[in-house]
Amino acid sequence: MTAPQPLSVHGPEDILAFIPHSLGYWPSSSVVAMTLHGKRLGATLRLDLPGPAGLRRPEAFARAVRGYLQADGDADGTLVAVFGGTAGAPAPQLHQLLMLELYDALQRAGMPVRDAWYVGDRYWRGAFCVDSSCCPAPGRPVQQILDSRLYAEMVFQGSTVGPPPDGSPIGDQWTADYLAAVRAARTAWRRKLERRRGSREQFHLVLTYWAAVLGRPAGKPLLPAADRDGFLLATLMVPCLRDAVLVQAAAGRTTAVAGAAQFGLLRDGPFPRPLSPLPAGDLPGRQPGGDAGSGSGSGSGSGTGVGTSAGQVFGYGDVLLGLGPEVPDWPQLEALDRMLAHLALAGGKSAAAPLTLQGWVAWCRGRGSVAAAYYCRALRAQPQYRLAGLLLELDQRGTICGWAARKEAAWQKFSNDPERGTGQLG
C-alpha cells in the first residue's frame, strides 16, 4: 500500500497501529516491511513468515523482501515488524537470524532498517532493544497499540480493521429462491451467448450493458434482478467477454475493443440478433453501429477523466500487469469490485470468474494477501480455473502491479476508501 494522507506518528505504537489499517487486517505469522521517504511512511509489504528451513537459512527470503521494496524507487529506509510468537508473546529467539539477515540485505540496498519490532498476540517489543526497563519480558502489551493516538485517528477517519483474508465468503447471502432464479437465468443467457460467440454486435452490447450497470451511483441500493445477475454471470463465463469487461473498466472501451479485434475474436456475421436484459434503445450512451460511449472522453466509464491517456490504446497484457494506462480508472474498478462481490454470491462454478476478478482488483490496489485469498476461493469453486491459477502464480512470485508500485497511480491517491494514510515520523 502506498499511503498519501498525512497522519501523526509519534512513537512505535503509532507505527505498529498503522500496519493493520494499511493492510485492512491484523497480520499473523507475517513479516511486514514499510519503506520510508525521509520521515514519511511509504509502501507496506506483508509476507508470510518462512517455515523452519527458511528461518534457519533466511538469505533467500531477505533477498525477496529487498527485491519487492526496491520497487519503491524513492525509499531511503525501512521499518520491519515480525508478527508471530508463542503463548501470546513475541518470539525473538526464533526470528533473530531472520531479522539480522533482513537488516544486512536492506542496508546493502540503501534502505537501512531504522527500527524493527517483534509482535505477538498479547505482547510486543523492540527488536534491537536491550533495556529491560523499556522492553521488559515478555514485552509491552499489544493493547498499547490499540490505544495509540494514531489508531484512534484512523478509526475516527472511518478506517476499519477486518478479519484476515482467509478466503471465507463475506457479505449477505442470496435466498434459495433468488439463487435458483439467477442460476436459471445464467444458464439461459449462456446458451444464447454461445450462439453469438464472436459477434461484434453482441460484444459491444455486452460492454455497453456492463458500463450501464457500473454507472450506477455507489450509494444507490442494488435491487434484486435475477435476469440481470444471470446475464452478467453468463458474460463472465465467456473468457473473451470476461477479459474485455475487466479491461474496459480499467482502461476504457477503445482498448477493450482493440484487444479483442487484435486477437481475431470479433466478426460481423451472420449471427442471431444481439441480446441483453434491456432493449438496445434503453441502454445509455449507445452509438450508431453497435458501439457505445463510455461517459468520458478518455473511454472510461466514470466520467472522472481519471484512468486513461487520451487517444492511446493499450494491450491486454499491459492492462493486466498495471503497465498501461498511466493511471487506471479507479472509480470504475471500485464499481466493478462491488458488482463482482454481489455476483460471487451465486456460489458454485459461477463464482470462479467474479472471485478471480475481485482478486485482480485487490492486487492492483497493492493487497497481495487479499488477492491470493480470492484466487484460492475461485479455485475451490472451480478447480483448474486457468485465470485464477495464473494470477495466483503471479502474486506468489511477488510481482507487484505497476499501478500499485507508483505513488502517482496508486489506488489510495484516488480512492475515497478511508483505509489509507501516510505517517509522518517525529
Side-chain angles (χ1 to χ4, degrees):
M1 169 183 177
T2 302
Q5 184 180 12
L7 293 169
S8 300
V9 176
H10 300 285
E13 297 95 335
D14 289 321
I15 296 171
L16 294 173
F18 176 73
I19 289 174
H21 285 279
S22 174
L23 298 174
Y25 61 94
W26 190 280
S28 62
S29 298
S30 302
V31 174
V32 177
M34 295 175 286
T35 59
L36 291 170
H37 306 161
K39 290 188 175 183
R40 295 182 68 86
L41 295 177
T44 303
L45 169 73
R46 191 216 68 88
L47 293 173
D48 290 338
L49 269 171
L55 290 176
R56 288 193 298 269
R57 297 187 60 86
E59 299 88 351
F61 182 86
R63 287 196 300 270
V65 171
R66 179 185 65 195
Y68 301 151
L69 296 181
Q70 284 176 322
D72 184 351
D74 296 327
D76 57 14
T78 50
L79 301 168
V80 178
V82 173
F83 288 77
T86 57
Q93 68 278 9
L94 292 178
H95 305 130
Q96 187 175 34
L97 184 59
L98 171 64
M99 187 69 79
L100 291 173
E101 195 65 41
L102 287 169
Y103 186 94
D104 288 343
L106 295 172
Q107 178 80 26
R108 291 194 298 270
M111 298 181 288
V113 177
R114 299 197 192 159
D115 212 339
W117 305 272
Y118 299 114
V119 185
D121 292 336
R122 289 185 288 136
Y123 300 97
W124 65 277
R125 58 172 296 159
F128 308 132
C129 179
V130 295
D131 184 350
S132 60
S133 64
C134 175
C135 300
R140 299 166 68 180
V142 164
Q143 189 63 41
Q144 291 182 354
I145 299 172
L146 302 177
D147 293 339
S148 69
R149 183 184 303 181
L150 187 138
Y151 200 96
E153 185 178 342
M154 295 290 286
V155 171
F156 179 76
Q157 291 184 6
S159 179
T160 58
V161 177
D166 60 359
S168 302
I170 299 174
D172 298 332
Q173 302 298 304
W174 290 344
T175 65
D177 288 345
Y178 189 73
L179 178 60
V182 170
R183 289 179 172 176
R186 174 209 62 200
T187 300
W189 281 115
R190 190 177 182 188
R191 188 181 305 116
K192 294 172 183 176
L193 290 173
E194 187 61 35
R195 295 174 56 202
R196 293 159 176 82
R197 185 185 289 265
S199 165
R200 191 183 306 275
E201 276 197 285
Q202 184 63 65
F203 180 87
H204 280 293
L205 201 59
V206 166
L207 293 188
T208 299
Y209 189 80
W210 266 98
V213 169
L214 299 187
R216 181 179 58 90
K220 184 178 180 180
L222 185 67
L223 300 177
D227 205 35
R228 174 203 64 210
D229 292 344
F231 177 78
L232 295 175
L233 283 168
T235 64
L236 295 181
M237 298 178 80
V238 180
C240 67
L241 296 178
R242 174 202 65 197
D243 297 348
V245 166
L246 196 67
V247 170
Q248 175 177 255
R253 171 67 62 88
T254 301
T255 288
V257 174
Q262 179 184 7
F263 293 124
L265 301 176
L266 304 181
R267 304 190 304 276
D268 289 322
F271 291 101
R273 179 175 59 86
L275 298 173
S276 82
L278 286 176
D282 292 343
L283 289 173
R286 186 170 173 82
Q287 296 177 350
D291 202 347
S294 56
S296 76
S298 68
S300 71
S302 66
T304 62
V306 175
T308 60
S309 302
Q312 285 189 271
V313 175
F314 305 92
Y316 273 32
D318 288 339
V319 176
L320 290 175
L321 292 174
L323 302 177
E326 183 176 347
V327 180
D329 193 328
W330 285 119
Q332 277 288 279
L333 287 178
E334 290 182 2
L336 176 65
D337 187 49
R338 290 191 295 270
M339 180 54 66
L340 293 170
H342 172 73
L343 296 176
L345 298 177
K349 291 184 177 181
S350 297
L355 288 171
T356 299
L357 301 194
Q358 275 193 281
W360 180 80
V361 174
W363 179 73
C364 291
R365 289 170 167 169
R367 295 185 166 178
S369 299
V370 176
Y374 278 121
Y375 300 146
C376 290
R377 283 180 62 192
L379 290 169
R380 287 199 296 271
Q382 186 176 339
Q384 308 303 319
Y385 190 65
R386 187 166 181 267
L387 182 60
L390 290 173
L391 293 177
L392 179 60
E393 181 182 350
L394 190 72
D395 182 69
Q396 290 176 336
R397 290 205 305 263
T399 306
I400 299 175
C401 175
W403 298 317
R406 294 186 297 107
K407 60 185 178 182
E408 65 272 15
W411 165 63
Q412 290 78 16
K413 180 177 179 180
F414 300 96
S415 174
N416 292 322
D417 192 308
E419 294 179 10
R420 54 195 171 89
T422 280
Q424 178 71 41
L425 304 182

